[in-house]
Amino acid sequence: MTKMVVTPWEVSGDIDYEKLIKEFGTQHLTDELIKKLEKEAGSSHFMLRRKVFFSHRDLDVALKEYDEGKPIALYTGRGPSGKTHLGHMLPWVFTKYLQDALGANLYFQITDDEKFLCKPELSKEKTKTWAYDNALDFIALGFNPKKTFIIVDTDYAKTLYNMAIQIAKKVTASSAKAVFGFTNETNIGMMFWPAMQAAPCFLPSVLEKRNVRTLIPAAIDQDPYWRIARDVAPKLGYPKTTAIHSIFLPSLAGPGKMSTSVGQNTTIFTTDTPEQVEEKIMKYAFSGGRGSIKEHREKGGVPEVDVSYQWLRIMFEPDDKKLKEIYEDYKSGKMLTGELKAILIEKIQKFLENHKKERERARKNLDKFILKD
Ligand code: TRP
């Protein structure tokens, strides 16, 4: 076991999601609450059924208000430090379902300022370029341009900065240190920066000039920001933001979040070619198979640790029946690792083939999504 580290800037080690719920002080996403969400949404989603989203803050409050006809907005985002990979898109796929199902406005923050401040090697020009590049991957998922608003921080600074200073005034250095682990070596831009990610939690209320509660679908590493935002909300007269948290898509190499810094080969980018997809999965996807075909047939594989199976479960095989068949065939030894990998490779190649087309189309529509002030 390698030590678990989960902060907004670093995710590594073997991740214990139960422990995270305790440490972060979030709530379990119970079956009962999932049913309530499905009822309000009018449909189910495999990421809920499989507990890919497993934790929340006040989702029950958001659903109750939604049921009463009160306004709600969705908020999520992306830190543009490089190419988009499949793990980044996991919460966005679910966000698309939520937006369609709830008919809510959606705010998408792209934090080029954050990545400039926290990555010594990145220039301001570079993070801005990545911001508009990554936006294409988000738009490509088919969000409704009339209800979806993309914020690129340095290009929406007037509004965000004016909100952020109000938030920042209510957050002490000792609480920022406790929540984010800042030290005296942290640059002062970073110390202030959490106020910028908290600002969109209240932006719908500001823009619509009435109380709009936000619901944030995001991976759990972003939760520390919501803690800060929820603390200051009553002090500023806004509704507390609510959140629904996902697990991470594991790296091809095995447990721990898929991270570009671990290596280009354990990550699949949205711009990878079909050949690259095949090569990466064949060569690098951690396998739950046995040492020899004979042994595999006898003892069966271990889908619980097999990354290809996990990717199918978490993101790429929405059909429960098909997934169950794969699980059983692999576990019994009927299906070999190569066959399992071939299923995943085909799924991802198809997904990316379509995604790349949509990504190109998105270039023409980019302007319709970008919020300007
Ligand atoms: N800090 C996030 C990242 O580095 C980007 C982000 C901004 C975000 N606002 C968000 C992510 C809201 C999820 C939800 O990726």
Side-chain angles (χ1 to χ4, degrees):
M1 293 288 269
T2 47
K3 190 173 168 285
M4 164 170 92
V5 180
V6 178
T7 73
W9 303 284
E10 188 192 351
V11 177
S12 63
D14 293 300
I15 296 168
D16 180 341
Y17 290 105
E18 275 305 309
K19 200 165 153 201
L20 278 182
I21 288 184
K22 279 205 198 85
E23 279 179 8
F24 284 5
T26 66
Q27 297 151 288
H28 284 99
L29 188 61
T30 60
D31 293 335
E32 191 194 337
L33 195 50
I34 289 173
K35 281 210 192 78
K36 271 194 197 153
L37 173 54
E38 289 172 342
K39 185 170 156 263
E40 296 299 340
S43 65
S44 173
H45 195 276
F46 70 92
M47 288 184 184
L48 288 174
R49 298 195 296 274
R50 298 175 194 168
K51 299 269 169 87
V52 171
F53 281 81
F54 70 104
S55 155
H56 74 102
R57 285 188 189 270
D58 281 355
L59 175 64
D60 41 346
V61 174
L63 290 177
K64 185 168 171 285
E65 288 184 359
Y66 179 79
D67 191 66
E68 292 163 359
K70 295 199 179 127
I72 189 173
L74 297 166
Y75 162 39
T76 192
R78 159 81 182 133
S81 52
K83 290 183 196 171
T84 304
H85 64 56
L86 297 175
H88 298 134
M89 304 232 296
L90 188 172
W92 309 348
V93 169
F94 184 71
T95 302
K96 170 80 170 81
Y97 152 79
L98 279 183
Q99 182 183 44
D100 290 347
L102 304 177
N105 281 346
L106 161 61
Y107 292 82
F108 190 78
Q109 180 183 35
I110 307 186
T111 58
D112 59 334
D113 52 347
E114 175 193 22
K115 293 297 142 177
F116 168 67
L117 288 168
C118 77
K119 300 260 179 193
E121 71 281 11
L122 287 181
S123 68
K124 229 163 73 62
E125 293 68 31
K126 202 81 211 148
T127 53
K128 175 103 87 187
T129 306
W130 283 125
Y132 285 95
D133 170 274
N134 293 173
L136 301 176
D137 289 301
F138 171 74
I139 295 170
L141 291 174
F143 291 98
N144 177 352
K146 293 210 170 69
K147 293 187 165 214
T148 306
F149 309 96
I150 297 179
I151 300 159
V152 175
D153 280 357
T154 56
D155 287 338
Y156 196 59
K158 192 172 142 197
T159 305
L160 279 191
Y161 183 71
N162 277 288
M163 294 182 66
I165 56 171
Q166 295 179 59
I167 295 163
K169 196 173 179 177
K170 307 283 181 204
V171 183
T172 63
S174 69
S175 121
K177 279 183 180 171
V179 172
F180 295 99
F182 293 148
T183 66
N184 282 351
E185 276 57 56
T186 306
N187 71 57
I188 60 173
M190 283 296 286
M191 289 263 188
F192 167 78
W193 197 81
M196 292 293 281
Q197 183 154 328
C201 295
F202 314 127
L203 183 63
S205 295
V206 170
L207 294 180
E208 293 183 35
K209 299 191 176 62
R210 59 174 179 164
N211 277 354
V212 181
R213 197 179 294 273
T214 42
L215 169 61
I216 304 167
I220 193 153
D221 61 327
Q222 299 299 308
D223 185 73
Y225 292 110
W226 322 140
R227 240 176 287 165
I228 295 283
R230 286 166 56 84
D231 274 356
V232 304
K235 298 179 188 157
L236 298 176
Y238 297 121
K240 280 193 180 186
T241 196
T242 66
I244 177 165
H245 306 111
S246 77
I247 62 169
F248 310 109
L249 187 69
S251 143
L252 283 179
K257 189 178 145 181
M258 183 189 245
S259 165
T260 316
S261 36
V262 175
Q264 307 280 314
N265 286 328
T266 54
T267 303
I268 292 179
F269 298 104
T270 60
T271 50
D272 280 354
T273 62
E275 295 72 32
Q276 282 172 309
V277 170
E278 178 170 0
E279 190 187 339
K280 286 182 183 181
I281 293 175
M282 277 315 209
K283 266 202 194 155
Y284 303 104
F286 184 81
S287 158
R290 305 287 174 177
S292 68
I293 293 186
K294 185 169 171 285
E295 195 192 345
H296 189 91
R297 294 277 188 229
E298 279 167 19
K299 294 188 182 151
V302 188
E304 288 76 11
V305 302
D306 188 285
V307 170
S308 301
Y309 175 78
Q310 291 304 325
W311 277 34
L312 289 167
R313 183 182 75 82
I314 294 169
M315 198 165 165
F316 294 102
E317 180 48 272
D319 186 325
D320 291 343
K321 223 179 112 218
K322 283 194 190 146
L323 186 76
K324 188 160 177 267
E325 270 170 33
I326 295 169
Y327 180 91
E328 281 165 1
D329 287 352
Y330 194 60
K331 187 129 190 133
S332 72
K334 191 170 150 201
M335 181 183 283
L336 299 174
T337 297
E339 294 166 326
L340 175 58
K341 287 190 174 189
I343 296 174
L344 180 68
I345 289 167
E346 201 195 320
K347 285 271 176 194
I348 294 181
Q349 284 173 339
K350 277 210 180 115
F351 174 80
L352 288 185
E353 190 191 10
N354 177 59
H355 183 78
K356 281 182 199 161
K357 275 189 213 133
E358 293 298 329
R359 198 178 189 283
E360 282 316 301
R361 267 177 14 120
R363 284 181 204 282
K364 287 197 276 318
N365 296 328
L366 192 57
D367 278 351
K368 290 189 200 150
F369 287 89
I370 304 286
L371 262 189
K372 290 264 158 29
D373 61 4

